[in-house]
């Protein structure tokens, strides 16, 4: 089960990027404006979103450990 | 204070990353030449070209031109420099007028010329391969060869901190500080994982296997970060999120190899077996990974990535080394953050395992 979750997460992360790309046709201006500066912003946002998703997963693991620890 | 001794390196990593994000987003991109119209001129009689610049702030020099520090413009044909007269149109446009070449030639020749612009704020900058100059035969001309003008550029330096200008990339050159370090982090973390796998096979200690797995997971995380940021950047510069580039395909296979490592681990039930088989897999996977993302792209005939295939590295146009002062701290900072993430993952995995063993 855990493994399936992992795969779903990985695929969904890829899909998010692809979805951003699909929207590109409408928001082309947004990312081409002022020398494509917004691409830099988007790249940083992607970086931190992925990092935070990973942190949330670690957090969940720690919560489970805490729960097990208290039950003893 | 004693506590600080154990986590000072984490603070250092955070500070380095913060510095690189701050500097990488706030520093300016240097001046550059986007376009020259027309792109073909006949040089026998006087001619005019309009140069479209990027981040050139020509307006600024309109005001100051009374003091004599205007924008200087030259046309460079082979090694010959011809001085032009500039008229500033707006922030990013300047019109340059040149006298016709009084040159005795037998045949018509067409050559690619470089536009050289210079002012005391931006320093000297060039636009090459943007203008072609044709000279028709002229038997009445007085000179055989073209000579340089007396007023040559001062070769002034840029007076402010800036990243190099690159056509198509524009501001996104900053992404070098955010996308590329991900791969350095991935290589470092997977190397640590590789070392722990070797140590596990030597000592048969279960702890080393947990370390190897934790760092492989963290390495995979940074690989995914690298791919996601790279795809987004490529979409707005190369026009598509995925191209058939040796580096891209190598990185994709490399990431898949480490996803396969996780699948391998979850597919075996016996714990000692998992540790041993995955350690052997890991030891084989790392050299292949390095070959895929470094060696093969270098050997490729063509690559869009700098420093791979036929393309030049970033060092070729980062002449003032400003990019390096942000890029190296970014690489170091992200590596430290990566080791921290790997360490956290391992510590949690270890607790989980110990919990399992105790129950």
């Amino acid at each position: 089960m855990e493994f399936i979750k992992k795969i779903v997460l990985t695929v969904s992360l890829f899909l998010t990027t692809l979805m951003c790309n699909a929207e590109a046709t409408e928001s082309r201006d947004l990312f081409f404006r002022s020398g494509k500066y917004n691409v830099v912003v988007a790249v940083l946002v992607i970086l931190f979103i992925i990092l935070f998703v990973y942190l949330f997963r670690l957090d969940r693991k720690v919560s489970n450990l805490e729960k097990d620890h208290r039950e003893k | 204070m004693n506590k600080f001794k154990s986590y000072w390196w984490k603070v250092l990593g955070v500070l380095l990353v913060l510095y690189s994000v701050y500097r990488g987003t706030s520093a300016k991109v240097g001046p550059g030449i986007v376009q020259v119209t027309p792109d073909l001129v006949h040089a026998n009689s006087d001619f005019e070209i309009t140069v479209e610049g990027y981040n050139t702030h020509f307006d600024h020099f309109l005001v100051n031109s009374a003091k004599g520090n205007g924008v200087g413009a030259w046309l460079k044909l082979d090694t010959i420099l011809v001085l032009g007269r500039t008229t500033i149109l707006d922030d990013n446009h300047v019109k340059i007028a040149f006298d016709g070449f009084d040159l005795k030639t037998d045949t018509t020749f067409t050559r690619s010329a470089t536009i050289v612009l210079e002012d005391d704020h931006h320093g000297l900058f060039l636009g090459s391969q943007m203008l072609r100059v044709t000279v028709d035969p002229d038997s009445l001309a007085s000179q055989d060869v073209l000579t340089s003008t007396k007023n040559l550029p001062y070769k002034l330096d840029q007076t402010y901190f800036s990243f190099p200008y690159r056509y198509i990339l524009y501001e996104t050159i900053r992404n070098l500080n955010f996308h590329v370090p991900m791969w350095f982090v991935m290589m470092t973390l997977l190397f640590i994982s590789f070392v722990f796998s070797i140590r596990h096979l030597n000592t048969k200690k279960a702890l080393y296997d947990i370390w190897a797995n934790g760092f492989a997971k963290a390495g995979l995380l940074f690989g995914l970060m690298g791919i996601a940021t790279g795809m987004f950047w490529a979409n707005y510069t190369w026009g598509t999120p995925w191209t058939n580039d040796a580096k891209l395909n190598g990185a994709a296979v490399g990431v898949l190899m480490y996803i396969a490592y996780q699948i391998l681990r979850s597919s075996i039930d016996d714990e000692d077996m998992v540790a041993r088989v995955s350690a052997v897999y890991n030891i084989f996977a790392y050299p292949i990974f390095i070959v895929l993302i470094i060696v093969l792209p270098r050997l490729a005939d063509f690559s869009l990535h700098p420093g791979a295939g036929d393309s030049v590295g970033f060092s070729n146009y980062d002449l003032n080394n400003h990019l390096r002062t942000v890029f190296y701290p970014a690489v170091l900072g992200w590596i430290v953050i990566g080791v921290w993430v790997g360490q956290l993952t391992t510590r949690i995995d270890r607790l989980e395992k110990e919990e399992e063993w105790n129950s």
Side-chain angles (χ1 to χ4, degrees):
Chain A
M1 198 55 209
E2 186 62 22
F3 172 68
I4 293 168
K5 272 185 201 163
K6 269 183 203 166
I7 294 296
V8 169
L9 187 75
T10 316
V11 171
S12 59
L13 280 175
F14 272 108
L15 283 181
T16 330
T17 341
L18 288 177
M19 264 153 59
C20 294
N21 294 329
E23 283 167 18
T25 37
E26 295 123 49
S27 62
R28 261 190 123 65
D29 275 341
L30 176 67
F31 291 110
F32 281 91
R33 201 182 298 151
S34 64
K36 305 182 186 178
Y37 190 90
N38 288 332
V39 176
V40 181
V41 178
V43 159
L44 277 171
V45 169
I46 291 172
L47 272 192
F48 285 107
I49 284 178
I50 299 180
L51 197 62
F52 292 149
V53 167
Y54 192 81
L55 278 183
F56 274 109
R57 290 191 51 222
L58 280 187
D59 186 290
R60 211 180 49 210
K61 276 189 178 176
V62 174
S63 300
N64 285 340
L65 280 173
E66 282 171 340
K67 212 175 73 190
D68 293 348
H69 192 73
R70 278 196 212 103
E71 276 168 9
K72 265 186 202 169
Chain B
M1 201 58 210
N2 260 344
K3 259 188 186 170
F4 183 72
K5 269 186 188 161
S6 63
Y7 65 82
W8 66 270
W9 56 276
K10 295 168 188 170
V11 175
L12 178 77
V14 169
L15 289 178
L16 285 172
V17 167
L18 286 179
Y19 166 79
S20 75
V21 169
Y22 170 70
R23 215 68 215 270
T25 51
S26 66
K28 286 177 187 162
V29 167
I33 295 171
V34 180
Q35 208 183 9
V36 177
T37 42
D39 60 353
L40 177 68
V41 289
H42 282 270
N44 293 70
S45 54
D46 297 359
F47 59 95
E48 267 186 354
I49 54 169
T50 306
V51 171
E52 187 192 338
Y54 184 79
N55 279 354
T56 41
H57 316 103
F58 289 137
D59 260 0
H60 179 75
F61 297 95
L62 198 62
V63 183
N64 284 345
S65 58
K67 291 178 199 163
N69 52 351
V71 179
W74 291 264
L75 186 77
K76 190 168 180 269
L77 262 176
D78 300 328
T79 54
I80 312 300
L81 280 156
V82 184
L83 184 69
R85 293 176 301 279
T86 55
T87 317
I88 285 148
L89 303 176
D90 62 39
D91 237 5
N92 286 321
H93 290 86
V94 63
K95 193 186 267 178
I96 313 170
F98 293 95
D99 292 332
F101 302 157
D102 185 23
L103 195 63
K104 194 191 281 176
T105 53
D106 302 329
T107 52
T108 304
F109 74 84
T110 304
R111 277 192 216 149
S112 180
T114 301
I115 303 292
V116 181
L117 292 180
E118 186 181 49
D119 63 61
D120 59 6
H121 181 61
H122 300 100
L124 184 142
F125 57 101
L126 313 165
S128 52
Q129 308 276 328
M130 284 172 184
L131 176 72
R132 282 174 305 141
V133 176
T134 299
V135 180
D136 289 326
D138 181 3
S139 52
L140 298 171
S142 54
Q143 52 187 5
D144 289 340
V145 283
L146 208 57
T147 46
S148 280
T149 63
K150 286 192 184 98
N151 297 315
L152 292 172
Y154 295 105
K155 295 186 179 168
L156 298 172
D157 287 325
Q158 216 169 63
T159 54
Y160 59 99
F161 183 93
S162 81
F163 296 133
Y165 162 85
R166 285 297 283 169
Y167 181 57
I168 297 177
L169 292 187
Y170 302 112
E171 301 290 329
T172 65
I173 186 122
R174 303 158 191 280
N175 279 351
L176 180 84
N177 304 312
F178 312 127
H179 163 72
V180 184
M182 296 305 124
W183 300 105
F184 282 81
V185 178
M186 191 187 185
M187 282 189 287
T188 313
L189 297 186
L190 294 179
F191 179 72
I192 295 172
S193 173
F194 169 74
V195 170
F196 274 112
S197 282
I198 294 174
R199 289 183 74 181
H200 170 77
L201 285 187
N202 279 341
T203 58
K204 298 282 183 305
K205 271 190 188 163
L207 180 62
Y208 290 148
D209 175 58
I210 299 172
W211 278 97
N213 185 29
F215 275 91
K217 276 185 196 169
L220 193 54
L221 167 77
F222 282 92
L224 290 176
M225 281 159 89
I227 283 190
T229 53
M231 278 168 77
F232 200 91
W233 188 10
N235 196 41
Y236 295 99
T237 47
W238 299 342
T240 165
W242 202 268
T243 60
N244 205 6
D245 190 280
K247 203 122 182 165
L248 283 173
N249 291 334
V253 175
V255 168
L256 284 176
M257 255 169 23
Y258 281 92
I259 291 179
Y261 173 80
Q262 295 302 329
I263 296 175
L264 177 74
R265 289 187 72 93
S266 59
S267 64
I268 305 173
D269 291 329
D270 181 17
E271 232 165 73
D272 288 336
M273 199 66 146
V274 173
R276 219 171 309 150
V277 171
S278 63
V280 173
Y281 179 95
N282 201 8
I283 290 166
F284 277 108
Y286 189 73
I288 297 173
F289 171 74
I290 292 298
V291 167
L292 279 171
I293 72 161
I294 296 178
V295 183
L296 286 184
R298 278 218 182 155
L299 296 175
D301 295 327
F302 169 79
S303 180
L304 286 165
H305 274 91
D310 60 342
S311 59
V312 296
F314 267 87
S315 53
N316 277 42
Y317 46 83
D318 178 24
L319 297 175
N320 49 20
N321 288 334
H322 286 168
L323 207 48
R324 283 167 213 262
T325 62
V326 182
F327 179 65
Y328 292 150
V331 170
L332 195 66
W334 280 106
I335 285 177
V336 172
I337 298 286
V339 172
W340 185 8
V341 169
Q343 191 214 38
L344 277 180
T345 312
T346 310
R347 278 156 67 186
I348 291 169
D349 283 357
R350 189 181 165 184
L351 279 179
E352 264 182 353
K353 275 272 149 63
E354 281 171 359
E355 200 81 7
E356 244 174 68
W357 291 333
N358 292 339
S359 59

